Amino acid sequence: MALHDLGRYILIGVNIIFTACGLGIAAAGIFLLVQAEQLESDVELLQDLPITETSYVLMMLGFALAITSVIGAVGAFKKQRIMLTVYLFVIFALVLVRPHFYP
């Protein structure tokens, strides 16, 4: 097995893990959205927090992570240059945007 193939399989494996994590985050957002009213009534500390908006943000971030990871995994598996280029630009944009949110 060449080093090139090993890197490809590692990229596929890591992207499958990140896809599962993204779907888990999105599922947590869906759960939070469905249970928002019950959580606000049961937990006194959550009454003043924007639970609905937080659940939408979690869902968007989770699905964005899952879609990006699927593009990377499929691009690496099928050796499609355009998908890997899209994946590269999305990851590069995230690296550039990150310092603006965390000084």
Side-chain angles (χ1 to χ4, degrees):
M1 178 184 308
L3 189 61
H4 176 73
D5 288 336
L6 180 64
R8 190 175 124 220
Y9 291 132
I10 289 173
L11 183 64
I12 292 169
V14 167
N15 279 313
I16 288 172
I17 292 169
F18 277 114
T19 300
C21 291
L23 292 175
I25 292 170
I30 292 169
F31 173 77
L32 193 61
L33 182 64
V34 170
Q35 298 293 326
E37 290 181 16
Q38 183 179 358
L39 287 173
E40 286 177 350
S41 65
D42 290 346
V43 181
E44 196 171 307
L45 293 173
L46 297 177
Q47 291 176 353
D48 297 333
L49 297 176
I51 295 178
T52 306
E53 291 83 5
T54 305
S55 65
Y56 286 128
V57 169
L58 281 174
M59 286 189 296
M60 288 189 322
L61 289 175
F63 286 131
L65 177 63
I67 290 169
T68 304
S69 298
V70 165
I71 288 172
V74 171
F77 182 73
K78 294 197 173 208
K79 297 181 183 176
Q80 289 189 353
R81 195 173 197 97
I82 187 71
M83 292 182 85
L84 290 173
T85 305
V86 169
Y87 177 72
L88 174 74
F89 282 125
V90 169
I91 297 299
F92 186 67
L94 290 175
V95 169
L96 288 178
V97 169
R98 186 179 177 271
H100 296 291
F101 291 113
Y102 302 108

